[in-house]
Amino acid sequence: MRFFCARCCSFGSEMPAVQLLLLACLVWDVGARTAQLRKANDRSGRCQYTFIVASPNESSCPEQSQAMSVIHNLQKDSSTQRLDLEATKARLSSLESLLHHQLTLDRAAGPQETQEGLQRELGTLRRERDQLETQTRELETAYSNLLRDKSVLEEEKKRLRQENENLARRLESSSQEVARLRRGQCPQTRDTARDVPPGSREVSTWNLDTLAFQELKSELTEVPASRILKESPSGHLRSREGDNGCGELVWVGEPVTLRTAETITGKYGVWMRDPKPTYPYTQETTWRIDTVGTDVRQVFEYDLISQFMQGYPSKVHILPRPLESTGAVVYSGSLYFQGAESRTVIRYELNTETVKAEKEIPGAGYHGQFPYSWGGYTDIDLAVDESGLWVIYSTDEAKGAIVLSKLNPENLELEQTWETNIRKQSVANAFIICGTLYTVSSYSSADATVNFAYDTGTGISKTLTIPFKNRYKYSSMIDYNPLEKKLFAWDNLNMVTYDIKLSKM
Protein backbone atom coordinates (compact mmCIF):
# COMPACT_ATOMS: atom_id res chain seq x y z
CA MET A 1 0.00 0.00 0.00
CA ARG A 2 1.36 3.48 -0.90
CA PHE A 3 0.26 7.07 -0.21
CA PHE A 4 0.50 9.78 -2.87
CA CYS A 5 0.77 13.49 -2.23
CA ALA A 6 0.47 15.54 -5.44
CA ARG A 7 -0.06 19.26 -6.19
CA CYS A 8 -0.07 21.11 -9.51
CA CYS A 9 2.40 23.94 -9.22
CA SER A 10 2.69 27.31 -10.97
CA PHE A 11 5.17 28.84 -8.62
CA GLY A 12 7.84 29.52 -11.20
CA SER A 13 10.95 30.48 -9.28
CA GLU A 14 9.20 30.79 -5.95
CA MET A 15 11.31 28.08 -4.26
CA PRO A 16 10.23 28.75 -0.64
CA ALA A 17 6.68 27.70 -1.42
CA VAL A 18 7.83 24.55 -3.23
CA GLN A 19 10.07 23.57 -0.33
CA LEU A 20 7.20 24.02 2.12
CA LEU A 21 5.00 21.78 0.01
CA LEU A 22 7.73 19.13 -0.11
CA LEU A 23 8.22 19.17 3.67
CA ALA A 24 4.49 18.97 4.30
CA CYS A 25 4.25 15.86 2.10
CA LEU A 26 7.25 14.20 3.74
CA VAL A 27 5.64 14.30 7.17
CA TRP A 28 2.10 13.57 5.91
CA ASP A 29 2.40 10.03 7.26
CA VAL A 30 4.04 10.09 10.70
CA GLY A 31 5.16 6.45 10.57
CA ALA A 32 6.85 6.83 7.16
CA ARG A 33 10.48 5.79 6.83
CA THR A 34 11.26 7.00 3.26
CA ALA A 35 9.77 9.31 0.62
CA GLN A 36 10.27 9.87 -3.11
CA LEU A 37 9.72 13.06 -5.15
CA ARG A 38 9.05 13.20 -8.87
CA LYS A 39 8.68 16.37 -10.97
CA ALA A 40 7.03 16.44 -14.46
CA ASN A 41 4.72 18.54 -16.65
CA ASP A 42 1.15 17.39 -17.01
CA ARG A 43 -0.74 17.30 -20.33
CA SER A 44 -1.55 21.00 -20.10
CA GLY A 45 2.14 21.84 -19.58
CA ARG A 46 1.84 22.72 -15.94
CA CYS A 47 4.55 21.68 -13.46
CA GLN A 48 3.43 18.77 -11.26
CA TYR A 49 5.20 17.43 -8.14
CA THR A 50 4.41 13.86 -7.05
CA PHE A 51 5.41 12.54 -3.58
CA ILE A 52 5.40 8.80 -2.73
CA VAL A 53 5.57 7.73 0.93
CA ALA A 54 5.78 4.02 2.02
CA SER A 55 3.18 2.82 4.53
CA PRO A 56 4.60 1.51 7.86
CA ASN A 57 4.38 -2.21 8.59
CA GLU A 58 1.70 -3.45 10.94
CA SER A 59 2.31 -6.24 13.54
CA SER A 60 -0.09 -9.16 13.76
CA CYS A 61 -2.43 -9.07 16.75
CA PRO A 62 -1.64 -11.62 19.52
CA GLU A 63 -4.20 -13.97 20.99
CA GLN A 64 -6.17 -12.42 23.83
CA SER A 65 -6.01 -15.62 25.87
CA GLN A 66 -2.40 -14.92 26.84
CA ALA A 67 -1.11 -12.15 29.07
CA MET A 68 -4.36 -10.15 29.17
CA SER A 69 -2.98 -7.39 31.35
CA VAL A 70 -0.15 -6.71 28.89
CA ILE A 71 -2.57 -6.68 25.95
CA HIS A 72 -4.87 -4.20 27.71
CA ASN A 73 -1.93 -1.86 28.26
CA LEU A 74 -0.89 -2.21 24.61
CA GLN A 75 -4.43 -1.43 23.48
CA LYS A 76 -4.49 1.73 25.62
CA ASP A 77 -1.14 2.81 24.15
CA SER A 78 -2.48 2.10 20.65
CA SER A 79 -5.55 4.28 21.27
CA THR A 80 -3.36 7.11 22.58
CA GLN A 81 -1.12 6.81 19.53
CA ARG A 82 -4.16 6.90 17.22
CA LEU A 83 -5.35 10.13 18.85
CA ASP A 84 -1.89 11.62 18.46
CA LEU A 85 -1.89 10.70 14.80
CA GLU A 86 -5.29 12.33 14.27
CA ALA A 87 -4.06 15.49 15.99
CA THR A 88 -0.98 15.48 13.78
CA LYS A 89 -3.10 15.11 10.65
CA ALA A 90 -5.23 18.06 11.78
CA ARG A 91 -2.12 20.16 12.28
CA LEU A 92 -0.86 19.16 8.85
CA SER A 93 -4.19 20.18 7.32
CA SER A 94 -3.84 23.55 9.02
CA LEU A 95 -0.32 23.81 7.69
CA GLU A 96 -1.55 23.08 4.16
CA SER A 97 -4.18 25.84 4.46
CA LEU A 98 -1.52 28.17 5.75
CA LEU A 99 0.61 27.34 2.72
CA HIS A 100 -2.16 28.28 0.32
CA HIS A 101 -2.78 31.50 2.23
CA GLN A 102 0.92 32.26 2.20
CA LEU A 103 1.05 32.08 -1.57
CA THR A 104 -1.21 35.15 -1.76
CA LEU A 105 0.90 37.04 0.78
CA ASP A 106 4.39 36.19 -0.46
CA ARG A 107 4.68 39.32 -2.61
CA ALA A 108 3.35 41.66 0.08
CA ALA A 109 5.31 40.20 3.02
CA GLY A 110 8.87 38.98 3.30
CA PRO A 111 9.09 35.18 2.79
CA GLN A 112 11.85 34.71 5.34
CA GLU A 113 9.68 35.13 8.46
CA THR A 114 7.03 32.82 7.13
CA GLN A 115 9.59 30.20 6.18
CA GLU A 116 11.22 30.28 9.62
CA GLY A 117 7.86 29.80 11.34
CA LEU A 118 7.04 26.85 9.12
CA GLN A 119 10.51 25.39 9.70
CA ARG A 120 9.94 25.52 13.46
CA GLU A 121 6.55 23.86 13.03
CA LEU A 122 8.04 21.13 10.86
CA GLY A 123 10.80 20.57 13.39
CA THR A 124 8.20 20.06 16.11
CA LEU A 125 6.28 17.62 13.92
CA ARG A 126 9.45 15.64 13.16
CA ARG A 127 10.22 15.29 16.86
CA GLU A 128 6.69 14.08 17.52
CA ARG A 129 7.04 11.63 14.64
CA ASP A 130 10.29 10.25 16.10
CA GLN A 131 8.64 9.79 19.48
CA LEU A 132 5.73 7.91 17.92
CA GLU A 133 8.11 5.70 15.95
CA THR A 134 9.97 4.85 19.15
CA GLN A 135 6.71 3.96 20.87
CA THR A 136 5.72 1.81 17.90
CA ARG A 137 8.99 -0.14 18.04
CA GLU A 138 8.55 -0.72 21.76
CA LEU A 139 5.02 -2.01 21.21
CA GLU A 140 6.21 -4.34 18.45
CA THR A 141 8.95 -5.68 20.72
CA ALA A 142 6.45 -6.27 23.52
CA TYR A 143 4.15 -8.13 21.10
CA SER A 144 7.05 -10.29 19.90
CA ASN A 145 8.11 -11.17 23.44
CA LEU A 146 4.53 -12.00 24.35
CA LEU A 147 4.13 -14.36 21.40
CA ARG A 148 7.44 -16.06 22.18
CA ASP A 149 6.44 -16.58 25.81
CA LYS A 150 3.12 -17.95 24.65
CA SER A 151 4.88 -20.48 22.39
CA VAL A 152 7.14 -21.63 25.23
CA LEU A 153 4.17 -22.08 27.56
CA GLU A 154 2.27 -24.08 24.96
CA GLU A 155 5.23 -26.41 24.43
CA GLU A 156 5.56 -26.90 28.19
CA LYS A 157 1.84 -27.59 28.41
CA LYS A 158 2.11 -30.25 25.69
CA ARG A 159 5.09 -31.86 27.42
CA LEU A 160 3.33 -31.99 30.79
CA ARG A 161 0.18 -33.41 29.19
CA GLN A 162 2.26 -36.13 27.52
CA GLU A 163 3.98 -36.95 30.81
CA ASN A 164 0.62 -37.21 32.55
CA GLU A 165 -0.64 -39.57 29.85
CA ASN A 166 2.49 -41.71 30.14
CA LEU A 167 2.15 -41.86 33.93
CA ALA A 168 -1.50 -42.84 33.61
CA ARG A 169 -0.59 -45.65 31.18
CA ARG A 170 2.18 -46.85 33.48
CA LEU A 171 -0.16 -46.84 36.47
CA GLU A 172 -2.80 -48.78 34.55
CA SER A 173 -0.20 -51.27 33.33
CA SER A 174 1.15 -51.73 36.85
CA SER A 175 -2.34 -52.29 38.23
CA GLN A 176 -3.04 -54.91 35.59
CA GLU A 177 0.29 -56.61 36.27
CA VAL A 178 -0.42 -56.74 40.02
CA ALA A 179 -3.87 -58.17 39.39
CA ARG A 180 -2.41 -60.76 37.02
CA LEU A 181 0.22 -61.83 39.53
CA ARG A 182 -2.37 -62.14 42.26
CA ARG A 183 -4.57 -64.32 40.07
CA GLY A 184 -1.75 -66.46 38.75
CA GLN A 185 0.49 -66.99 41.76
CA CYS A 186 -1.90 -67.55 44.70
CA PRO A 187 -3.18 -71.18 44.99
CA GLN A 188 -6.71 -71.75 46.25
CA THR A 189 -5.91 -74.14 49.11
CA ARG A 190 -2.93 -75.04 51.20
CA ASP A 191 -3.47 -78.72 50.54
CA THR A 192 -3.24 -78.48 46.74
CA ALA A 193 -1.03 -81.30 45.55
CA ARG A 194 2.12 -80.27 43.73
CA ASP A 195 5.31 -81.88 42.53
CA VAL A 196 8.32 -80.70 44.47
CA PRO A 197 11.56 -81.11 42.54
CA PRO A 198 14.27 -83.20 44.17
CA GLY A 199 16.52 -81.14 46.41
CA SER A 200 13.80 -78.56 47.06
CA ARG A 201 12.39 -77.75 50.47
CA GLU A 202 9.02 -76.29 51.39
CA VAL A 203 9.09 -73.02 53.32
CA SER A 204 5.46 -71.85 53.50
CA THR A 205 2.19 -71.66 51.59
CA TRP A 206 -0.95 -69.52 51.42
CA ASN A 207 -3.60 -70.63 53.93
CA LEU A 208 -6.96 -69.46 52.67
CA ASP A 209 -8.89 -71.77 55.02
CA THR A 210 -7.78 -69.95 58.15
CA LEU A 211 -8.53 -66.28 57.76
CA ALA A 212 -6.75 -65.36 61.00
CA PHE A 213 -3.34 -66.39 59.70
CA GLN A 214 -1.76 -66.84 56.29
CA GLU A 215 1.82 -67.61 55.44
CA LEU A 216 3.75 -67.83 52.19
CA LYS A 217 5.07 -71.06 50.79
CA SER A 218 8.00 -71.06 48.37
CA GLU A 219 10.19 -73.70 46.88
CA LEU A 220 13.98 -73.41 46.82
CA THR A 221 15.73 -75.51 44.21
CA GLU A 222 19.44 -75.79 43.58
CA VAL A 223 20.16 -75.03 39.93
CA PRO A 224 23.58 -75.47 38.26
CA ALA A 225 25.21 -72.15 37.45
CA SER A 226 25.69 -73.24 33.83
CA ARG A 227 21.91 -73.16 33.36
CA ILE A 228 21.65 -69.57 34.61
CA LEU A 229 24.52 -68.25 32.50
CA LYS A 230 23.12 -69.41 29.20
CA GLU A 231 22.50 -66.83 26.49
CA SER A 232 19.26 -64.93 27.02
CA PRO A 233 17.11 -63.18 24.37
CA SER A 234 18.76 -60.26 22.65
CA GLY A 235 18.49 -57.00 24.51
CA HIS A 236 18.77 -58.66 27.95
CA LEU A 237 21.85 -59.30 30.00
CA ARG A 238 23.68 -62.52 29.29
CA SER A 239 26.98 -64.20 30.01
CA ARG A 240 28.13 -67.35 28.28
CA GLU A 241 30.74 -69.87 29.29
CA GLY A 242 34.06 -68.87 27.78
CA ASP A 243 32.97 -65.29 27.08
CA ASN A 244 35.39 -63.81 29.62
CA GLY A 245 38.31 -64.69 27.39
CA CYS A 246 39.49 -62.47 24.55
CA GLY A 247 39.82 -63.26 20.89
CA GLU A 248 39.55 -61.86 17.39
CA LEU A 249 36.19 -60.82 15.98
CA VAL A 250 34.98 -63.40 13.43
CA TRP A 251 31.21 -62.84 13.17
CA VAL A 252 28.54 -60.15 13.73
CA GLY A 253 24.91 -61.20 13.98
CA GLU A 254 21.72 -59.59 12.72
CA PRO A 255 20.63 -56.36 14.46
CA VAL A 256 17.93 -56.64 17.14
CA THR A 257 15.84 -53.49 17.64
CA LEU A 258 15.11 -52.62 21.27
CA ARG A 259 13.78 -49.07 21.06
CA THR A 260 12.82 -46.41 18.47
CA ALA A 261 13.20 -42.70 19.19
CA GLU A 262 9.96 -40.69 19.31
CA THR A 263 11.10 -37.47 17.58
CA ILE A 264 13.61 -36.21 15.01
CA THR A 265 15.99 -35.28 17.84
CA GLY A 266 16.66 -39.01 18.03
CA LYS A 267 17.72 -39.27 14.37
CA TYR A 268 21.13 -40.09 15.80
CA GLY A 269 22.38 -40.47 19.33
CA VAL A 270 24.16 -42.77 21.79
CA TRP A 271 22.92 -45.37 24.29
CA MET A 272 24.91 -47.55 26.66
CA ARG A 273 25.16 -49.68 29.79
CA ASP A 274 28.02 -49.70 32.27
CA PRO A 275 30.28 -52.76 31.77
CA LYS A 276 31.69 -52.09 35.26
CA PRO A 277 28.68 -50.83 37.24
CA THR A 278 29.01 -49.25 40.68
CA TYR A 279 26.36 -48.68 43.35
CA PRO A 280 23.57 -47.63 43.03
CA TYR A 281 23.65 -48.77 39.39
CA THR A 282 23.37 -52.33 38.09
CA GLN A 283 24.07 -54.24 34.90
CA GLU A 284 20.55 -53.35 33.76
CA THR A 285 20.84 -49.57 34.18
CA THR A 286 20.72 -47.97 30.73
CA TRP A 287 21.51 -44.43 29.58
CA ARG A 288 20.42 -42.69 26.40
CA ILE A 289 21.31 -39.33 24.78
CA ASP A 290 19.60 -37.84 21.72
CA THR A 291 22.38 -35.83 20.04
CA VAL A 292 20.50 -33.84 17.38
CA GLY A 293 20.74 -30.16 18.31
CA THR A 294 23.19 -27.43 19.27
CA ASP A 295 22.80 -27.59 23.06
CA VAL A 296 22.72 -31.29 23.97
CA ARG A 297 22.64 -31.69 27.77
CA GLN A 298 19.90 -34.24 28.62
CA VAL A 299 20.91 -37.78 29.66
CA PHE A 300 17.99 -40.17 30.18
CA GLU A 301 18.53 -42.86 32.81
CA TYR A 302 16.54 -46.14 33.02
CA ASP A 303 16.83 -48.42 36.06
CA LEU A 304 15.52 -51.47 34.20
CA ILE A 305 15.86 -52.72 30.65
CA SER A 306 12.06 -52.97 30.47
CA GLN A 307 11.78 -49.25 31.30
CA PHE A 308 14.24 -48.43 28.54
CA MET A 309 12.33 -50.51 25.99
CA GLN A 310 9.02 -48.87 27.00
CA GLY A 311 10.47 -45.35 27.09
CA TYR A 312 9.94 -44.57 30.80
CA PRO A 313 13.10 -42.93 32.22
CA SER A 314 13.61 -43.05 35.97
CA LYS A 315 15.78 -39.91 35.92
CA VAL A 316 17.00 -37.19 33.58
CA HIS A 317 20.47 -35.72 34.10
CA ILE A 318 21.20 -32.17 32.88
CA LEU A 319 24.89 -31.88 32.05
CA PRO A 320 26.74 -28.75 33.25
CA ARG A 321 27.95 -28.14 29.70
CA PRO A 322 26.72 -29.43 26.31
CA LEU A 323 28.29 -32.46 24.67
CA GLU A 324 29.20 -33.08 21.05
CA SER A 325 29.14 -36.18 18.81
CA THR A 326 27.87 -39.70 19.53
CA GLY A 327 31.10 -40.83 21.19
CA ALA A 328 30.03 -40.83 24.86
CA VAL A 329 30.39 -43.93 27.09
CA VAL A 330 29.55 -44.93 30.67
CA TYR A 331 32.26 -46.72 32.64
CA SER A 332 32.58 -47.42 36.37
CA GLY A 333 29.74 -45.08 37.35
CA SER A 334 30.85 -42.08 35.26
CA LEU A 335 29.75 -40.65 31.92
CA TYR A 336 32.67 -39.73 29.65
CA PHE A 337 31.93 -37.31 26.82
CA GLN A 338 33.44 -34.64 24.55
CA GLY A 339 32.57 -31.03 25.39
CA ALA A 340 30.89 -29.16 22.55
CA GLU A 341 33.23 -27.35 20.15
CA SER A 342 36.35 -28.42 22.04
CA ARG A 343 38.90 -31.22 22.22
CA THR A 344 38.16 -31.62 25.94
CA VAL A 345 37.04 -34.97 27.36
CA ILE A 346 34.94 -34.68 30.53
CA ARG A 347 34.28 -37.21 33.29
CA TYR A 348 30.82 -36.68 34.85
CA GLU A 349 30.04 -38.84 37.91
CA LEU A 350 26.40 -39.88 37.53
CA ASN A 351 25.56 -40.62 41.16
CA THR A 352 26.82 -37.27 42.53
CA GLU A 353 26.05 -35.33 39.31
CA THR A 354 29.43 -33.58 39.42
CA VAL A 355 32.34 -33.16 37.02
CA LYS A 356 35.31 -35.11 38.39
CA ALA A 357 37.90 -34.51 35.66
CA GLU A 358 38.54 -32.68 32.39
CA LYS A 359 41.37 -33.21 29.92
CA GLU A 360 42.26 -31.83 26.50
CA ILE A 361 43.37 -34.49 24.01
CA PRO A 362 46.59 -32.97 22.60
CA GLY A 363 46.22 -31.96 18.95
CA ALA A 364 42.92 -33.81 18.49
CA GLY A 365 40.66 -32.52 15.73
CA TYR A 366 37.20 -31.41 16.79
CA HIS A 367 33.93 -29.91 15.49
CA GLY A 368 34.20 -31.40 12.01
CA GLN A 369 37.98 -31.56 11.42
CA PHE A 370 38.35 -35.36 11.42
CA PRO A 371 34.90 -36.98 11.81
CA TYR A 372 33.78 -40.40 10.64
CA SER A 373 32.38 -40.51 7.10
CA TRP A 374 28.79 -39.80 8.21
CA GLY A 375 29.76 -36.51 9.94
CA GLY A 376 27.99 -35.55 13.14
CA TYR A 377 31.11 -33.89 14.66
CA THR A 378 32.35 -37.40 15.53
CA ASP A 379 35.98 -36.27 15.73
CA ILE A 380 36.49 -37.69 19.24
CA ASP A 381 35.01 -41.13 19.97
CA LEU A 382 35.32 -42.76 23.41
CA ALA A 383 35.29 -46.55 23.75
CA VAL A 384 35.48 -49.27 26.40
CA ASP A 385 36.85 -52.80 26.19
CA GLU A 386 38.01 -55.50 28.60
CA SER A 387 41.08 -53.45 29.59
CA GLY A 388 39.40 -50.10 30.24
CA LEU A 389 38.79 -46.67 28.67
CA TRP A 390 40.00 -45.54 25.21
CA VAL A 391 39.68 -42.49 22.98
CA ILE A 392 39.67 -42.64 19.14
CA TYR A 393 40.56 -39.45 17.22
CA SER A 394 42.96 -37.94 14.66
CA THR A 395 45.40 -35.02 14.47
CA ASP A 396 47.00 -32.76 11.88
CA GLU A 397 50.28 -34.50 12.60
CA ALA A 398 48.69 -37.88 11.77
CA LYS A 399 47.23 -36.34 8.58
CA GLY A 400 43.75 -37.69 9.28
CA ALA A 401 44.76 -41.24 10.21
CA ILE A 402 43.10 -42.81 13.26
CA VAL A 403 44.96 -42.28 16.53
CA LEU A 404 43.90 -44.15 19.65
CA SER A 405 45.00 -43.57 23.23
CA LYS A 406 44.46 -45.47 26.48
CA LEU A 407 43.00 -43.16 29.15
CA ASN A 408 43.22 -43.26 32.92
CA PRO A 409 39.54 -43.39 33.94
CA GLU A 410 40.15 -41.33 37.09
CA ASN A 411 42.05 -38.27 35.81
CA LEU A 412 41.84 -38.83 32.00
CA GLU A 413 45.61 -38.74 31.59
CA LEU A 414 46.86 -40.41 28.37
CA GLU A 415 48.69 -43.62 29.32
CA GLN A 416 49.72 -44.81 25.85
CA THR A 417 49.04 -43.78 22.24
CA TRP A 418 49.05 -45.61 18.89
CA GLU A 419 48.89 -44.14 15.38
CA THR A 420 47.30 -46.35 12.70
CA ASN A 421 47.38 -46.25 8.91
CA ILE A 422 43.54 -46.17 8.67
CA ARG A 423 42.12 -42.86 7.44
CA LYS A 424 39.39 -41.82 9.89
CA GLN A 425 37.11 -40.10 7.37
CA SER A 426 37.11 -43.19 5.13
CA VAL A 427 35.28 -45.37 7.69
CA ALA A 428 31.78 -45.02 9.17
CA ASN A 429 32.57 -45.92 12.78
CA ALA A 430 34.97 -47.80 15.04
CA PHE A 431 35.00 -49.84 18.25
CA ILE A 432 37.60 -51.70 20.35
CA ILE A 433 37.49 -55.35 21.45
CA CYS A 434 40.31 -56.87 23.51
CA GLY A 435 42.74 -54.09 22.57
CA THR A 436 42.03 -54.36 18.83
CA LEU A 437 40.47 -51.49 16.89
CA TYR A 438 37.78 -52.50 14.36
CA THR A 439 36.22 -50.18 11.74
CA VAL A 440 32.96 -50.39 9.75
CA SER A 441 32.98 -49.62 6.03
CA SER A 442 29.65 -47.77 5.59
CA TYR A 443 26.96 -46.16 7.72
CA SER A 444 24.24 -46.26 5.02
CA SER A 445 24.78 -49.45 3.01
CA ALA A 446 22.48 -52.27 4.12
CA ASP A 447 25.31 -54.76 3.53
CA ALA A 448 28.41 -53.13 5.03
CA THR A 449 31.46 -54.90 6.46
CA VAL A 450 33.84 -54.72 9.35
CA ASN A 451 36.72 -53.85 7.05
CA PHE A 452 39.86 -53.12 9.11
CA ALA A 453 41.45 -54.29 12.35
CA TYR A 454 44.42 -52.75 14.18
CA ASP A 455 46.03 -54.77 17.00
CA THR A 456 47.58 -52.49 19.63
CA GLY A 457 49.55 -55.45 20.98
CA THR A 458 51.49 -55.97 17.73
CA GLY A 459 50.99 -52.63 15.97
CA ILE A 460 49.80 -54.52 12.87
CA SER A 461 46.65 -53.73 10.87
CA LYS A 462 44.84 -55.97 8.41
CA THR A 463 41.79 -55.91 6.16
CA LEU A 464 38.62 -57.84 7.00
CA THR A 465 35.33 -58.67 5.26
CA ILE A 466 33.02 -59.51 8.17
CA PRO A 467 29.39 -58.78 7.13
CA PHE A 468 27.69 -55.97 9.07
CA LYS A 469 24.01 -55.09 8.54
CA ASN A 470 22.78 -51.48 8.61
CA ARG A 471 19.11 -52.38 8.73
CA TYR A 472 17.86 -48.77 8.87
CA LYS A 473 20.68 -47.38 6.71
CA TYR A 474 22.05 -44.63 8.98
CA SER A 475 24.30 -46.00 11.73
CA SER A 476 25.66 -43.07 13.73
CA MET A 477 27.05 -44.91 16.77
CA ILE A 478 28.60 -48.36 17.29
CA ASP A 479 30.12 -49.37 20.66
CA TYR A 480 31.24 -52.61 22.27
CA ASN A 481 30.05 -53.70 25.73
CA PRO A 482 32.64 -56.10 27.15
CA LEU A 483 30.31 -57.30 29.93
CA GLU A 484 27.52 -58.40 27.60
CA LYS A 485 29.77 -59.25 24.63
CA LYS A 486 27.51 -57.28 22.30
CA LEU A 487 27.71 -54.32 19.98
CA PHE A 488 25.37 -51.45 20.80
CA ALA A 489 24.37 -49.22 17.85
CA TRP A 490 22.09 -46.30 16.93
CA ASP A 491 20.70 -46.73 13.41
CA ASN A 492 18.39 -43.99 12.08
CA LEU A 493 16.22 -43.41 15.21
CA ASN A 494 16.56 -47.08 16.25
CA MET A 495 18.59 -48.46 19.17
CA VAL A 496 19.85 -51.95 18.26
CA THR A 497 22.25 -54.65 19.47
CA TYR A 498 24.41 -57.18 17.61
CA ASP A 499 25.60 -60.54 18.93
CA ILE A 500 29.23 -61.30 18.09
CA LYS A 501 31.61 -64.25 18.07
CA LEU A 502 35.29 -64.14 18.98
CA SER A 503 37.86 -66.73 18.00
CA LYS A 504 39.83 -68.53 20.69
CA MET A 505 43.11 -66.89 21.59
Side-chain angles (χ1 to χ4, degrees):
M1 177 177 180
R2 307 185 73 84
F3 298 94
F4 294 89
C5 177
R7 292 291 183 273
C8 294
C9 306
S10 59
F11 301 121
S13 60
E14 298 177 22
M15 288 305 295
V18 175
Q19 292 174 350
L20 290 174
L21 179 58
L22 172 60
L23 293 174
C25 291
L26 286 177
V27 298
W28 183 260
D29 185 86
V30 177
R33 298 295 190 276
T34 61
Q36 297 180 6
L37 168 65
R38 290 190 301 183
K39 174 183 176 184
N41 293 331
D42 61 9
R43 293 182 178 179
S44 63
R46 298 181 66 186
C47 176
Q48 186 180 46
Y49 291 86
T50 304
F51 299 88
I52 302 175
V53 182
S55 173
N57 294 327
E58 294 181 359
S59 302
S60 60
C61 296
E63 295 182 11
Q64 294 184 1
S65 60
Q66 301 291 328
M68 294 303 298
S69 61
V70 177
I71 292 177
H72 289 321
N73 292 334
L74 294 177
Q75 289 174 341
K76 291 178 182 179
D77 292 342
S78 178
S79 299
T80 303
Q81 185 183 23
R82 190 178 297 108
L83 293 175
D84 291 340
L85 288 173
E86 294 295 331
T88 302
K89 289 181 179 179
R91 295 180 67 180
L92 287 173
S93 297
S94 299
L95 180 60
E96 193 173 14
S97 300
L98 179 62
L99 175 62
H100 285 292
H101 179 67
Q102 183 63 30
L103 292 177
T104 63
L105 300 176
D106 275 344
R107 295 183 181 181
Q112 186 171 358
E113 283 185 16
T114 304
Q115 184 174 357
E116 289 177 354
L118 292 176
Q119 290 286 356
R120 285 193 299 271
E121 185 71 17
L122 288 174
T124 302
L125 291 174
R126 285 196 183 99
R127 287 191 296 272
E128 292 179 355
R129 180 194 63 186
D130 293 340
Q131 292 175 357
L132 290 173
E133 287 179 350
T134 301
Q135 293 175 4
T136 301
R137 287 194 295 270
E138 291 175 352
L139 290 174
E140 290 175 350
T141 302
Y143 273 124
S144 177
N145 293 337
L146 185 62
L147 292 175
R148 184 171 62 251
D149 293 342
K150 172 191 170 187
S151 177
V152 171
L153 290 173
E154 287 179 347
E155 289 297 326
E156 183 68 13
K157 179 180 177 182
K158 290 179 182 178
R159 186 184 67 81
L160 292 175
R161 184 185 294 114
Q162 184 64 38
E163 288 183 359
N164 288 338
E165 292 174 355
N166 291 340
L167 288 173
R169 286 196 296 269
R170 291 175 63 183
L171 180 60
E172 182 180 358
S173 176
S174 299
S175 300
Q176 293 174 353
E177 182 67 14
V178 170
R180 186 188 65 79
L181 291 173
R182 285 174 177 171
R183 290 194 303 270
Q185 293 186 359
C186 299
Q188 296 298 316
T189 65
R190 182 178 58 185
D191 299 328
T192 301
R194 64 181 66 193
D195 295 329
V196 179
S200 301
R201 55 189 176 90
E202 294 188 357
V203 177
S204 60
T205 185
W206 289 105
N207 181 6
L208 299 181
D209 297 330
T210 305
L211 297 178
F213 179 79
Q214 295 179 3
E215 62 178 11
L216 180 67
K217 177 180 179 180
S218 63
E219 298 170 355
L220 304 180
T221 305
E222 294 182 1
V223 180
S226 59
R227 286 179 56 190
I228 300 176
L229 298 180
K230 287 182 179 180
E231 181 179 0
S232 64
S234 294
H236 294 76
L237 300 175
R238 69 185 179 95
S239 179
R240 296 180 301 188
E241 292 179 295
D243 275 347
N244 290 332
C246 275
E248 294 183 0
L249 180 68
V250 295
W251 175 84
V252 178
E254 293 285 331
V256 176
T257 305
L258 304 184
R259 177 76 185 147
T260 301
E262 302 84 0
T263 64
I264 193 60
T265 57
K267 170 73 174 179
Y268 44 85
V270 55
W271 72 284
M272 53 244 159
R273 298 190 192 116
D274 193 342
K276 190 179 178 182
T278 59
Y279 181 83
Y281 305 114
T282 69
Q283 297 180 21
E284 279 198 82
T285 308
T286 306
W287 291 268
R288 162 189 166 180
I289 307 172
D290 296 341
T291 59
V292 175
T294 57
D295 189 44
V296 180
R297 294 174 184 264
Q298 288 188 333
V299 181
F300 298 95
E301 181 180 299
Y302 306 84
D303 290 336
L304 303 173
I305 295 175
S306 59
Q307 292 177 344
F308 168 69
M309 297 176 70
Q310 295 170 6
Y312 300 141
S314 53
K315 185 176 183 179
V316 180
H317 297 267
I318 304 298
L319 298 177
R321 61 180 291 186
L323 61 75
E324 191 166 81
S325 92
T326 59
V329 296
V330 173
Y331 180 70
S332 192
S334 292
L335 172 71
Y336 298 85
F337 66 94
Q338 174 197 353
E341 299 187 38
S342 74
R343 58 172 60 94
T344 302
V345 172
I346 300 168
R347 176 194 169 201
Y348 174 81
E349 192 172 65
L350 292 160
N351 187 31
T352 61
E353 301 184 25
T354 55
V355 173
K356 291 296 185 179
E358 296 186 29
K359 177 69 177 179
E360 276 200 356
I361 307 301
Y366 66 95
H367 203 63
Q369 289 181 278
F370 301 110
Y372 291 124
S373 60
W374 75 271
Y377 300 135
T378 50
D379 305 72
I380 295 177
D381 186 15
L382 292 148
V384 175
D385 76 343
E386 288 78 1
S387 64
L389 183 65
W390 299 77
V391 59
I392 305 167
Y393 58 102
S394 187
T395 64
D396 288 329
E397 186 178 353
K399 299 180 180 179
I402 290 180
V403 178
L404 61 155
S405 298
K406 191 74 183 307
L407 294 180
N408 183 307
E410 293 294 324
N411 55 25
L412 300 177
E413 293 293 329
L414 274 65
E415 297 179 343
Q416 193 172 354
T417 298
W418 294 261
E419 183 177 323
T420 74
N421 59 354
I422 305 168
R423 182 173 174 79
K424 191 167 186 288
Q425 291 179 286
S426 69
V427 297
N429 225 302
F431 53 90
I432 299 175
I433 300 177
C434 299
T436 297
L437 173 79
Y438 294 92
T439 64
V440 177
S441 63
S442 173
Y443 67 92
S444 58
S445 172
D447 298 310
T449 60
V450 177
N451 59 346
F452 287 107
Y454 177 86
D455 188 344
T456 58
T458 62
I460 297 174
S461 62
K462 63 179 180 180
T463 58
L464 302 172
T465 55
I466 301 172
F468 185 92
K469 299 289 186 181
N470 291 310
R471 175 172 293 170
Y472 304 101
K473 300 182 180 180
Y474 204 99
S475 292
S476 57
M477 160 255 172
I478 304 173
D479 280 335
Y480 170 64
N481 186 303
L483 179 64
E484 300 185 42
K485 303 295 182 184
K486 289 179 181 288
L487 296 180
F488 287 27
W490 194 297
D491 187 359
N492 198 8
L493 298 164
N494 296 279
M495 287 143 268
V496 302
T497 61
Y498 297 82
D499 287 329
I500 62 169
K501 289 182 181 178
L502 304 178
S503 66
K504 299 294 184 181
M505 292 295 289

